[in-house]
Amino acid sequence: MSEPDADTLDPTSLRTPIVAVLGHVDHGKTSLLDKIRGSAVIEGEAGAITQHIGATAVPLDIVSTIAGDLVNPDDFDLPGLLFIDTPGHHSFTTLRSRGGALADIAILVVDVNDGFQPQTLEALDILKRSETPFIVAANKIDTVPGWNVNEDSPINATYEAQSDRVSSRLDESLYEIIGNLSDEGFSADLYWRVQNFQRNVGVVPVSAMTGEGVPDLLAVMMGLSQRYMKEEMEIDVAGPGVGTVLEVKEEKGFGTTIDTVLYDGTVRADDQLVVGGQNDPIVTDVRALLQPRPLAEIRTESRFEKVDEVSAAAGIKVAAPDLADAMAGAPVRVVRNRDLAEVVTEVEAELADIAVDTAEQG
Ligand code: GDP
């Protein structure tokens, strides 16, 4: 059989991969997300970057502007990357989809000076068990003594600008991380030496402070997704939406709302939903779909703006009656033309899975 021709695939049916950031406390998870968000905002001044509820979408054209020569947009048909804004292990393990991790791909942040720490090992264990593909961001390269900063530069350019002493000092730290990964059963190497990212973990030296290596990090994430995860990203975009609750929140004027990451299909403002609850599945009707309003408009208006529909992958706040019992990590499913009882059964099964996993984790 021949491979399907990429040109015949409907690009609108390919969704954005969902990216999670993990790592030991203080190794720079939040700073890295802030840096990526910040770079994307600057590059996409016209507002091409969209702030979602609980997530940040970085579209392909912005990835390509940040990554420069490292990403030619013509080589990709995935629409970009969606970063979950809350980094850390707790959110990673509670956020699930159909029995797996909600995140399609992960960045494990390791401080080059501090190396492997208890939560680094814990994160590796979580990634291994959930079979989530990941890359390692070897962060804080700017703290190597004598480092010559080249803001936002790709790694090879800034490497060339370092003295031999500085670059060999960085190499030592990087090889220690590669050795630690190998001790944990992961064959790893500096990302530019990796041929097959399914077999080997790529290590990307970065600085969340100076932006050095961030072009490489985005390029590797984009390349890895395109090469190995494209099939999983094929969705029925117009179909009934499927997502996971990030957080249950009281919102003035809207009552209890659920911040949700949608990973399949579309949710519309007039849809009926089934949401996982602490006891039973909740059957409810969407009252409003809410997205953050651009900062400039917040002074005069509510923080949120109502939208008619949202398609995966996206972060969205859903206001609906009877959500008080909804829980973080629970499934959300749109009913639309489907049989309500069938959707309820699916949600019940997913909730039972979550209960088993929670018990196993003690
Ligand atoms: P988290 O706990 O993993 O989210 O770590 P943070 O992002 O809060 O970072 C912890 C500390 O390390 C903060 O003081 C950051 O400013 C600092 N930091 C993070 N990344 C870098 C980096 O690349 N270079 C330097 N010099 N400092 C960094």
Side-chain angles (χ1 to χ4, degrees), residues 237-272:
V237 73
V242 186
T244 302
V245 177
L246 271 178
E247 225 181 313
V248 183
K249 273 189 189 161
E250 283 301 314
E251 215 62 71
K252 225 174 122 194
F254 297 103
T256 309
T257 64
I258 45 173
D259 291 358
T260 304
V261 172
L262 199 67
Y263 60 86
D264 199 354
T266 293
V267 56
R268 300 190 188 131
D270 60 357
D271 272 328
Q272 186 178 38

mmCIF file of all heavy atoms in Angstrom, residues 237-272:
data_model
loop_
_atom_site.group_PDB
_atom_site.id
_atom_site.type_symbol
_atom_site.label_atom_id
_atom_site.label_comp_id
_atom_site.label_asym_id
_atom_site.label_seq_id
_atom_site.Cartn_x
_atom_site.Cartn_y
_atom_site.Cartn_z
ATOM 1 N N VAL A 237 -12.956 17.367 13.234
ATOM 2 C CA VAL A 237 -12.988 18.683 13.884
ATOM 3 C C VAL A 237 -14.425 19.187 14.084
ATOM 4 O O VAL A 237 -14.714 19.887 15.059
ATOM 5 C CB VAL A 237 -12.096 19.690 13.119
ATOM 6 C CG1 VAL A 237 -12.720 20.119 11.816
ATOM 7 C CG2 VAL A 237 -11.764 20.886 13.991
ATOM 8 N N ALA A 238 -15.347 18.812 13.207
ATOM 9 C CA ALA A 238 -16.722 19.295 13.332
ATOM 10 C C ALA A 238 -17.553 18.420 14.273
ATOM 11 O O ALA A 238 -18.669 18.754 14.634
ATOM 12 C CB ALA A 238 -17.374 19.355 11.965
ATOM 13 N N GLY A 239 -16.991 17.289 14.682
ATOM 14 C CA GLY A 239 -17.727 16.346 15.522
ATOM 15 C C GLY A 239 -17.961 16.877 16.929
ATOM 16 O O GLY A 239 -17.469 17.953 17.291
ATOM 17 N N PRO A 240 -18.718 16.132 17.742
ATOM 18 C CA PRO A 240 -18.979 16.573 19.111
ATOM 19 C C PRO A 240 -17.683 16.668 19.923
ATOM 20 O O PRO A 240 -16.861 15.746 19.893
ATOM 21 C CB PRO A 240 -19.911 15.493 19.675
ATOM 22 C CG PRO A 240 -19.933 14.375 18.705
ATOM 23 C CD PRO A 240 -19.365 14.843 17.407
ATOM 24 N N GLY A 241 -17.506 17.758 20.630
ATOM 25 C CA GLY A 241 -16.268 18.022 21.346
ATOM 26 C C GLY A 241 -16.001 17.045 22.484
ATOM 27 O O GLY A 241 -16.921 16.524 23.108
ATOM 28 N N VAL A 242 -14.705 16.793 22.723
ATOM 29 C CA VAL A 242 -14.278 15.950 23.838
ATOM 30 C C VAL A 242 -13.124 16.672 24.531
ATOM 31 O O VAL A 242 -12.201 17.153 23.864
ATOM 32 C CB VAL A 242 -13.778 14.576 23.356
ATOM 33 C CG1 VAL A 242 -13.492 13.670 24.547
ATOM 34 C CG2 VAL A 242 -14.769 13.916 22.414
ATOM 35 N N GLY A 243 -13.173 16.733 25.855
ATOM 36 C CA GLY A 243 -12.115 17.449 26.565
ATOM 37 C C GLY A 243 -11.934 16.949 27.976
ATOM 38 O O GLY A 243 -12.527 15.947 28.393
ATOM 39 N N THR A 244 -11.081 17.669 28.710
ATOM 40 C CA THR A 244 -10.744 17.329 30.088
ATOM 41 C C THR A 244 -10.851 18.592 30.936
ATOM 42 O O THR A 244 -10.398 19.657 30.503
ATOM 43 C CB THR A 244 -9.295 16.789 30.139
ATOM 44 O OG1 THR A 244 -9.204 15.657 29.289
ATOM 45 C CG2 THR A 244 -8.888 16.400 31.551
ATOM 46 N N VAL A 245 -11.429 18.465 32.124
ATOM 47 C CA VAL A 245 -11.550 19.621 33.020
ATOM 48 C C VAL A 245 -10.180 19.946 33.622
ATOM 49 O O VAL A 245 -9.535 19.081 34.220
ATOM 50 C CB VAL A 245 -12.544 19.337 34.174
ATOM 51 C CG1 VAL A 245 -12.615 20.525 35.142
ATOM 52 C CG2 VAL A 245 -13.929 19.003 33.635
ATOM 53 N N LEU A 246 -9.725 21.194 33.430
ATOM 54 C CA LEU A 246 -8.481 21.655 34.051
ATOM 55 C C LEU A 246 -8.750 22.095 35.479
ATOM 56 O O LEU A 246 -7.998 21.806 36.385
ATOM 57 C CB LEU A 246 -7.973 22.906 33.331
ATOM 58 C CG LEU A 246 -7.051 22.846 32.142
ATOM 59 C CD1 LEU A 246 -6.800 24.256 31.648
ATOM 60 C CD2 LEU A 246 -5.743 22.182 32.518
ATOM 61 N N GLU A 247 -9.833 22.846 35.635
ATOM 62 C CA GLU A 247 -10.107 23.467 36.930
ATOM 63 C C GLU A 247 -11.581 23.826 37.036
ATOM 64 O O GLU A 247 -12.199 24.192 36.030
ATOM 65 C CB GLU A 247 -9.283 24.756 37.033
ATOM 66 C CG GLU A 247 -8.590 24.921 38.363
ATOM 67 C CD GLU A 247 -7.803 26.219 38.413
ATOM 68 O OE1 GLU A 247 -7.063 26.505 37.449
ATOM 69 O OE2 GLU A 247 -7.938 26.941 39.401
ATOM 70 N N VAL A 248 -12.119 23.700 38.248
ATOM 71 C CA VAL A 248 -13.505 24.110 38.493
ATOM 72 C C VAL A 248 -13.434 25.434 39.248
ATOM 73 O O VAL A 248 -12.753 25.521 40.267
ATOM 74 C CB VAL A 248 -14.238 23.046 39.348
ATOM 75 C CG1 VAL A 248 -15.699 23.413 39.541
ATOM 76 C CG2 VAL A 248 -14.101 21.661 38.726
ATOM 77 N N LYS A 249 -14.104 26.464 38.741
ATOM 78 C CA LYS A 249 -13.933 27.805 39.322
ATOM 79 C C LYS A 249 -15.255 28.548 39.413
ATOM 80 O O LYS A 249 -16.049 28.520 38.482
ATOM 81 C CB LYS A 249 -13.037 28.640 38.396
ATOM 82 C CG LYS A 249 -11.572 28.502 38.621
ATOM 83 C CD LYS A 249 -10.869 29.561 37.769
ATOM 84 C CE LYS A 249 -9.378 29.374 37.763
ATOM 85 N NZ LYS A 249 -8.774 30.076 36.610
ATOM 86 N N GLU A 250 -15.416 29.277 40.535
ATOM 87 C CA GLU A 250 -16.519 30.219 40.646
ATOM 88 C C GLU A 250 -16.153 31.457 39.842
ATOM 89 O O GLU A 250 -15.036 31.949 39.953
ATOM 90 C CB GLU A 250 -16.688 30.648 42.114
ATOM 91 C CG GLU A 250 -17.362 29.632 43.005
ATOM 92 C CD GLU A 250 -18.761 29.275 42.530
ATOM 93 O OE1 GLU A 250 -19.533 30.191 42.191
ATOM 94 O OE2 GLU A 250 -19.059 28.058 42.501
ATOM 95 N N GLU A 251 -17.060 31.959 39.057
ATOM 96 C CA GLU A 251 -16.756 33.151 38.262
ATOM 97 C C GLU A 251 -17.913 34.132 38.397
ATOM 98 O O GLU A 251 -19.057 33.773 38.117
ATOM 99 C CB GLU A 251 -16.558 32.735 36.800
ATOM 100 C CG GLU A 251 -15.531 33.502 36.048
ATOM 101 C CD GLU A 251 -14.113 33.360 36.610
ATOM 102 O OE1 GLU A 251 -13.497 32.282 36.487
ATOM 103 O OE2 GLU A 251 -13.646 34.363 37.171
ATOM 104 N N LYS A 252 -17.582 35.339 38.874
ATOM 105 C CA LYS A 252 -18.632 36.336 39.125
ATOM 106 C C LYS A 252 -19.504 36.521 37.878
ATOM 107 O O LYS A 252 -19.008 36.735 36.787
ATOM 108 C CB LYS A 252 -17.970 37.682 39.472
ATOM 109 C CG LYS A 252 -18.616 38.364 40.665
ATOM 110 C CD LYS A 252 -17.842 39.598 41.069
ATOM 111 C CE LYS A 252 -18.727 40.831 41.036
ATOM 112 N NZ LYS A 252 -17.948 42.064 41.100
ATOM 113 N N GLY A 253 -20.806 36.417 38.076
ATOM 114 C CA GLY A 253 -21.726 36.612 36.951
ATOM 115 C C GLY A 253 -22.007 35.343 36.165
ATOM 116 O O GLY A 253 -22.918 35.304 35.353
ATOM 117 N N PHE A 254 -21.199 34.294 36.393
ATOM 118 C CA PHE A 254 -21.385 33.058 35.624
ATOM 119 C C PHE A 254 -21.609 31.831 36.499
ATOM 120 O O PHE A 254 -21.885 30.752 35.999
ATOM 121 C CB PHE A 254 -20.180 32.788 34.714
ATOM 122 C CG PHE A 254 -19.974 33.839 33.659
ATOM 123 C CD1 PHE A 254 -18.978 34.794 33.796
ATOM 124 C CD2 PHE A 254 -20.783 33.878 32.527
ATOM 125 C CE1 PHE A 254 -18.788 35.767 32.829
ATOM 126 C CE2 PHE A 254 -20.600 34.840 31.555
ATOM 127 C CZ PHE A 254 -19.598 35.799 31.703
ATOM 128 N N GLY A 255 -21.436 31.975 37.811
ATOM 129 C CA GLY A 255 -21.576 30.815 38.692
ATOM 130 C C GLY A 255 -20.381 29.889 38.575
ATOM 131 O O GLY A 255 -19.262 30.337 38.300
ATOM 132 N N THR A 256 -20.608 28.584 38.775
ATOM 133 C CA THR A 256 -19.498 27.634 38.673
ATOM 134 C C THR A 256 -19.197 27.387 37.196
ATOM 135 O O THR A 256 -20.095 27.150 36.393
ATOM 136 C CB THR A 256 -19.853 26.299 39.352
ATOM 137 O OG1 THR A 256 -20.339 26.573 40.658
ATOM 138 C CG2 THR A 256 -18.627 25.405 39.451
ATOM 139 N N THR A 257 -17.909 27.470 36.859
ATOM 140 C CA THR A 257 -17.486 27.232 35.469
ATOM 141 C C THR A 257 -16.422 26.140 35.467
ATOM 142 O O THR A 257 -15.788 25.876 36.493
ATOM 143 C CB THR A 257 -16.878 28.510 34.852
ATOM 144 O OG1 THR A 257 -15.683 28.835 35.584
ATOM 145 C CG2 THR A 257 -17.849 29.682 34.909
ATOM 146 N N ILE A 258 -16.231 25.516 34.316
ATOM 147 C CA ILE A 258 -15.129 24.560 34.188
ATOM 148 C C ILE A 258 -14.166 25.041 33.098
ATOM 149 O O ILE A 258 -14.560 25.269 31.957
ATOM 150 C CB ILE A 258 -15.625 23.120 33.880
ATOM 151 C CG1 ILE A 258 -16.696 23.108 32.788
ATOM 152 C CG2 ILE A 258 -16.133 22.441 35.146
ATOM 153 C CD1 ILE A 258 -17.084 21.703 32.327
ATOM 154 N N ASP A 259 -12.904 25.211 33.499
ATOM 155 C CA ASP A 259 -11.857 25.490 32.515
ATOM 156 C C ASP A 259 -11.495 24.148 31.889
ATOM 157 O O ASP A 259 -11.158 23.193 32.597
ATOM 158 C CB ASP A 259 -10.628 26.111 33.186
ATOM 159 C CG ASP A 259 -10.926 27.523 33.686
ATOM 160 O OD1 ASP A 259 -12.059 27.985 33.465
ATOM 161 O OD2 ASP A 259 -10.039 28.131 34.300
ATOM 162 N N THR A 260 -11.578 24.083 30.581
ATOM 163 C CA THR A 260 -11.508 22.797 29.892
ATOM 164 C C THR A 260 -10.506 22.841 28.748
ATOM 165 O O THR A 260 -10.431 23.846 28.038
ATOM 166 C CB THR A 260 -12.910 22.479 29.306
ATOM 167 O OG1 THR A 260 -13.865 22.519 30.360
ATOM 168 C CG2 THR A 260 -12.949 21.136 28.622
ATOM 169 N N VAL A 261 -9.744 21.773 28.604
ATOM 170 C CA VAL A 261 -8.923 21.651 27.394
ATOM 171 C C VAL A 261 -9.629 20.681 26.461
ATOM 172 O O VAL A 261 -9.878 19.527 26.806
ATOM 173 C CB VAL A 261 -7.497 21.156 27.695
ATOM 174 C CG1 VAL A 261 -6.746 20.861 26.395
ATOM 175 C CG2 VAL A 261 -6.726 22.200 28.488
ATOM 176 N N LEU A 262 -9.970 21.189 25.294
ATOM 177 C CA LEU A 262 -10.681 20.408 24.290
ATOM 178 C C LEU A 262 -9.638 19.727 23.404
ATOM 179 O O LEU A 262 -8.758 20.403 22.872
ATOM 180 C CB LEU A 262 -11.516 21.392 23.469
ATOM 181 C CG LEU A 262 -12.668 20.882 22.644
ATOM 182 C CD1 LEU A 262 -13.763 20.357 23.563
ATOM 183 C CD2 LEU A 262 -13.210 22.009 21.767
ATOM 184 N N TYR A 263 -9.710 18.405 23.283
ATOM 185 C CA TYR A 263 -8.704 17.737 22.443
ATOM 186 C C TYR A 263 -9.297 17.044 21.217
ATOM 187 O O TYR A 263 -8.586 16.442 20.430
ATOM 188 C CB TYR A 263 -7.845 16.771 23.265
ATOM 189 C CG TYR A 263 -8.590 15.647 23.946
ATOM 190 C CD1 TYR A 263 -8.869 14.463 23.264
ATOM 191 C CD2 TYR A 263 -9.008 15.765 25.266
ATOM 192 C CE1 TYR A 263 -9.546 13.440 23.894
ATOM 193 C CE2 TYR A 263 -9.686 14.738 25.891
ATOM 194 C CZ TYR A 263 -9.958 13.573 25.205
ATOM 195 O OH TYR A 263 -10.627 12.555 25.811
ATOM 196 N N ASP A 264 -10.619 17.120 21.083
ATOM 197 C CA ASP A 264 -11.240 16.568 19.873
ATOM 198 C C ASP A 264 -12.527 17.336 19.592
ATOM 199 O O ASP A 264 -13.196 17.794 20.523
ATOM 200 C CB ASP A 264 -11.543 15.069 20.074
ATOM 201 C CG ASP A 264 -11.740 14.318 18.759
ATOM 202 O OD1 ASP A 264 -11.767 14.961 17.687
ATOM 203 O OD2 ASP A 264 -11.860 13.079 18.805
ATOM 204 N N GLY A 265 -12.868 17.478 18.323
ATOM 205 C CA GLY A 265 -14.157 18.021 17.919
ATOM 206 C C GLY A 265 -14.386 19.484 18.270
ATOM 207 O O GLY A 265 -13.440 20.244 18.486
ATOM 208 N N THR A 266 -15.676 19.843 18.317
ATOM 209 C CA THR A 266 -16.080 21.232 18.528
ATOM 210 C C THR A 266 -17.142 21.294 19.620
ATOM 211 O O THR A 266 -17.973 20.388 19.715
ATOM 212 C CB THR A 266 -16.673 21.797 17.211
ATOM 213 O OG1 THR A 266 -15.633 21.873 16.242
ATOM 214 C CG2 THR A 266 -17.267 23.191 17.389
ATOM 215 N N VAL A 267 -17.072 22.340 20.434
ATOM 216 C CA VAL A 267 -18.154 22.588 21.381
ATOM 217 C C VAL A 267 -18.821 23.907 20.983
ATOM 218 O O VAL A 267 -18.145 24.869 20.616
ATOM 219 C CB VAL A 267 -17.667 22.579 22.862
ATOM 220 C CG1 VAL A 267 -16.552 23.555 23.097
ATOM 221 C CG2 VAL A 267 -18.808 22.844 23.829
ATOM 222 N N ARG A 268 -20.162 23.899 20.999
ATOM 223 C CA ARG A 268 -20.912 25.097 20.606
ATOM 224 C C ARG A 268 -21.703 25.628 21.789
ATOM 225 O O ARG A 268 -21.990 24.894 22.731
ATOM 226 C CB ARG A 268 -21.901 24.753 19.478
ATOM 227 C CG ARG A 268 -21.211 24.215 18.252
ATOM 228 C CD ARG A 268 -22.179 24.124 17.076
ATOM 229 N NE ARG A 268 -21.521 23.435 15.976
ATOM 230 C CZ ARG A 268 -22.053 22.429 15.291
ATOM 231 N NH1 ARG A 268 -23.276 21.998 15.568
ATOM 232 N NH2 ARG A 268 -21.371 21.860 14.321
ATOM 233 N N ALA A 269 -22.076 26.891 21.689
ATOM 234 C CA ALA A 269 -22.731 27.570 22.811
ATOM 235 C C ALA A 269 -24.110 26.991 23.126
ATOM 236 O O ALA A 269 -24.670 27.276 24.180
ATOM 237 C CB ALA A 269 -22.822 29.065 22.534
ATOM 238 N N ASP A 270 -24.684 26.183 22.207
ATOM 239 C CA ASP A 270 -25.998 25.596 22.498
ATOM 240 C C ASP A 270 -25.920 24.079 22.704
ATOM 241 O O ASP A 270 -26.924 23.385 22.617
ATOM 242 C CB ASP A 270 -26.997 25.932 21.386
ATOM 243 C CG ASP A 270 -26.541 25.406 20.036
ATOM 244 O OD1 ASP A 270 -25.424 24.839 19.952
ATOM 245 O OD2 ASP A 270 -27.298 25.550 19.064
ATOM 246 N N ASP A 271 -24.726 23.566 22.989
ATOM 247 C CA ASP A 271 -24.571 22.116 23.136
ATOM 248 C C ASP A 271 -25.015 21.609 24.505
ATOM 249 O O ASP A 271 -24.901 22.311 25.502
ATOM 250 C CB ASP A 271 -23.096 21.725 22.938
ATOM 251 C CG ASP A 271 -22.760 21.469 21.480
ATOM 252 O OD1 ASP A 271 -23.640 21.000 20.739
ATOM 253 O OD2 ASP A 271 -21.603 21.742 21.100
ATOM 254 N N GLN A 272 -25.444 20.349 24.507
ATOM 255 C CA GLN A 272 -25.636 19.628 25.764
ATOM 256 C C GLN A 272 -24.319 18.906 26.086
ATOM 257 O O GLN A 272 -23.647 18.406 25.180
ATOM 258 C CB GLN A 272 -26.761 18.609 25.607
ATOM 259 C CG GLN A 272 -27.110 17.910 26.918
ATOM 260 C CD GLN A 272 -28.262 16.920 26.763
ATOM 261 O OE1 GLN A 272 -28.382 16.224 25.754
ATOM 262 N NE2 GLN A 272 -29.133 16.863 27.764
#
